Amino acid sequence: MLDVRDLTTTYGAVRALDGVTFTAPQGRITAVLGANGAGKTTLLRTLSGLVPAASGSARLGDTDLLTTPAEEMTRAGLAHVPEGRGVIAQLTVEENLRLGALGARGGGRKADLDRVTDLFPVLGERRHQVAHTLSGGERQMLVIARALLADPAILLLDEPSLGLAPRIVTQIFDLLRGLVDDDGLTVVLVEQNARSALSISDVGLVLDLGKVVVHDDAAVLVDDATLRHAYLGF
Ligand code: ATP
């Protein structure tokens, strides 16, 4: 379980996170929602050690995330897929996948590569193709597959739906749901598209100006018209 308490992150005078407290239960999807600038990306970047917290705590099981260097996060069981599909454009699909397995907790065997290409058959079909020739949806699948090769306990995903056709978003979200249900993976999913995110999530966390406005079951958020109109845009 991810346990975050009173987490504050500042950029100069900006309090991007201001006393954020929540838990993300193991084997569940927690959607992190909120308007532009609410602090969603900063939350993921703070949890994965890319920006320092000003105060508070964040623990993943026995690991203190705030004192774990970013380069040791993979070994600690945390994988972060940032916004923007950072594949290495000149390498093939398979080479990108092999990079994801570096430093993994037991990942990187042929069986692991076979498993992700079972999950994402299109990546198997295109394993020798250079990554810059993939479509946006295929690239998003590649970065998720690469993160899974590190065998994470928790996967932090930043806006995986950005710029993708609805059909591809549904496909990726269904896959995530399957990984959570079948493998007990824990997911923290940052999304602008609140309606789709809540449809596959167990829990929703709404941020506004760096503070938690609501933290409740996804179904409770979907049923609350006032909250939906005020913060979720649907
Ligand atoms: P979006 O949905 O637009 O991606 P977000 O909820 O992910 O927004 P953040 O990117 O975490 O929000 O930004 C939170 C606040 O921190 C914003 O006011 C933003 O301008 C500010 N901020 C983010 N990164 C930096 C930075 N590197 N330097 C200064 N301010 C920053």
Side-chain angles (χ1 to χ4, degrees):
M1 184 175 79
L2 173 69
D3 185 7
V4 175
R5 293 200 192 160
D6 222 9
L7 190 62
T8 294
T9 301
T10 56
Y11 301 108
V14 177
R15 283 171 96 79
L17 294 181
D18 191 359
V20 168
T21 296
F22 72 102
T23 55
Q26 190 178 340
R28 297 278 184 270
I29 302 179
T30 299
V32 179
L33 310 168
N36 290 120
K40 305 180 297 296
T41 294
T42 301
L43 174 62
L44 299 195
R45 290 176 61 81
T46 308
L47 294 176
S48 59
L50 297 175
V51 292
S55 59
S57 70
R59 304 188 68 83
L60 179 63
D62 293 335
T63 305
D64 179 350
L65 295 178
L66 300 188
T67 58
T68 302
E71 61 274 14
E72 285 174 25
M73 285 298 177
T74 306
R75 215 171 291 282
L78 181 143
H80 180 187
V81 178
E83 195 179 311
R85 320 209 184 105
V87 296
I88 300 180
Q90 289 78 12
L91 297 185
T92 65
V93 166
E94 182 165 335
E95 287 162 345
N96 269 282
L97 289 173
R98 289 195 184 282
L99 278 180
L102 288 179
R105 309 180 305 166
R109 296 175 300 259
K110 177 155 187 322
D112 299 314
L113 274 182
D114 288 347
R115 183 169 163 268
V116 295
T117 48
D118 280 350
L119 281 171
F120 300 93
V122 70
L123 297 181
E125 290 158 20
R126 294 170 192 275
R127 64 198 303 155
H128 302 302
Q129 190 170 323
V130 285
H132 75 85
T133 61
L134 297 177
S135 72
E138 289 162 357
R139 245 181 264 186
Q140 185 63 64
M141 291 181 203
L142 178 55
V143 287
I144 294 173
R146 189 172 62 184
L148 292 175
L149 275 171
D151 189 24
I154 188 165
L155 182 63
L156 311 181
L157 285 170
D158 201 346
E159 305 247 10
S161 75
L162 199 71
L164 299 184
R167 188 174 55 82
I168 306 290
V169 174
T170 307
Q171 197 183 338
I172 291 175
F173 279 8
D174 287 349
L175 245 150
L176 282 177
R177 187 71 244 179
L179 285 165
V180 166
D181 291 341
D182 300 344
D183 297 0
L185 181 69
T186 304
V187 172
V188 176
L189 173 66
V190 162
E191 266 297 335
Q192 282 286 335
N193 187 341
R195 189 202 293 264
S196 310
L198 286 172
S199 74
I200 58 141
S201 296
D202 302 286
V203 181
L205 177 78
V206 181
L207 297 179
D208 185 41
L209 296 174
K211 291 185 195 292
V212 176
V213 185
V214 187
H215 179 218
D216 213 329
D217 287 347
V220 172
L221 272 67
V222 169
D223 287 343
D224 186 335
T226 311
L227 176 94
R228 275 197 340 253
H229 296 154
Y231 295 105
L232 305 180
F234 75 95

